[in-house]
Amino acid sequence: MNGKELLKAICWCGQMVGYKLTINVFDKSENLSSIIESEAPELIKLIGCKAKGEAQYNIIFHDGVDVLSTKFHKEIKKVANTTMAFVLLGDDELNIRSAIRLRELFGRLSLDGKCKLPGIYAAVTNPEKTDIINTIITSG
């Protein structure tokens, strides 16, 4: 599964009665919302929808953000109340580096009392690397 497919699945399946779903999407590209809209226009059309019986979610696109940059660190501070983070960047090594980076950033915020550590899930296909990353990002 790639990041766009996960975003669609979360929007379509991630709602529960009485809960607000807010999704923050970080991407290097400058126009991810436009790309998503061209592939799944209904997904973008329903952002912020309050109509009864419709999906109710908000997606905030953080375009032009490299997950290994200082800008990413600043953006993570803005979303400190995150409950889950998914890393799907297309390659095991980058996913691992990014998940570890997220763990570090949320860990610092947690130590400062600004958030609780969220669950961090990285797409890793190599079984040996999967065990290593699970140990690293879930240890507290």
Side-chain angles (χ1 to χ4, degrees):
M1 176 177 280
N2 67 36
K4 288 184 273 186
E5 291 171 0
L6 179 64
L7 177 62
K8 293 174 194 176
I10 289 171
C11 290
W12 289 325
C13 303
Q15 296 117 59
M16 294 181 283
V17 175
Y19 287 88
K20 284 185 174 181
L21 178 62
T22 300
I23 303 164
N24 287 279
V25 178
F26 294 88
D27 197 83
K28 272 187 181 181
S29 71
E30 294 292 336
N31 58 350
L32 183 62
S33 63
S34 177
I35 293 167
I36 297 292
E37 185 173 24
S38 73
E39 294 178 13
E42 69 284 355
L43 190 75
I44 300 300
K45 182 178 82 175
L46 290 174
I47 292 175
C49 178
K50 303 283 188 225
K52 188 173 183 174
E54 288 291 346
Q56 298 196 7
Y57 56 83
N58 189 23
I59 303 173
I60 302 164
F61 290 95
H62 304 265
D63 291 341
V65 179
D66 183 332
V67 297
L68 301 174
S69 70
T70 303
K71 183 177 180 182
F72 182 63
H73 183 195
K74 291 175 184 175
E75 292 294 312
I76 288 298
K77 287 180 181 180
K78 296 177 187 175
V79 296
N81 64 342
T82 296
T83 54
M84 280 189 252
F86 299 93
V87 181
L88 289 96
L89 301 171
D91 131 324
D92 280 2
E93 295 299 321
L94 183 55
N95 289 345
I96 290 169
R97 287 179 59 209
S98 299
I100 291 170
R101 177 81 171 131
L102 269 176
R103 175 64 176 82
E104 290 170 2
L105 296 174
F106 281 118
R108 289 180 196 152
L109 291 170
S110 175
L111 288 174
D112 292 342
K114 296 178 181 170
C115 77
K116 293 182 181 178
L117 287 175
I120 300 172
Y121 304 91
V124 180
T125 57
N126 180 311
E128 291 174 6
K129 291 179 182 177
T130 300
D131 291 340
I132 293 167
I133 191 67
N134 284 338
T135 301
I136 292 170
I137 62 176
T138 59
S139 63

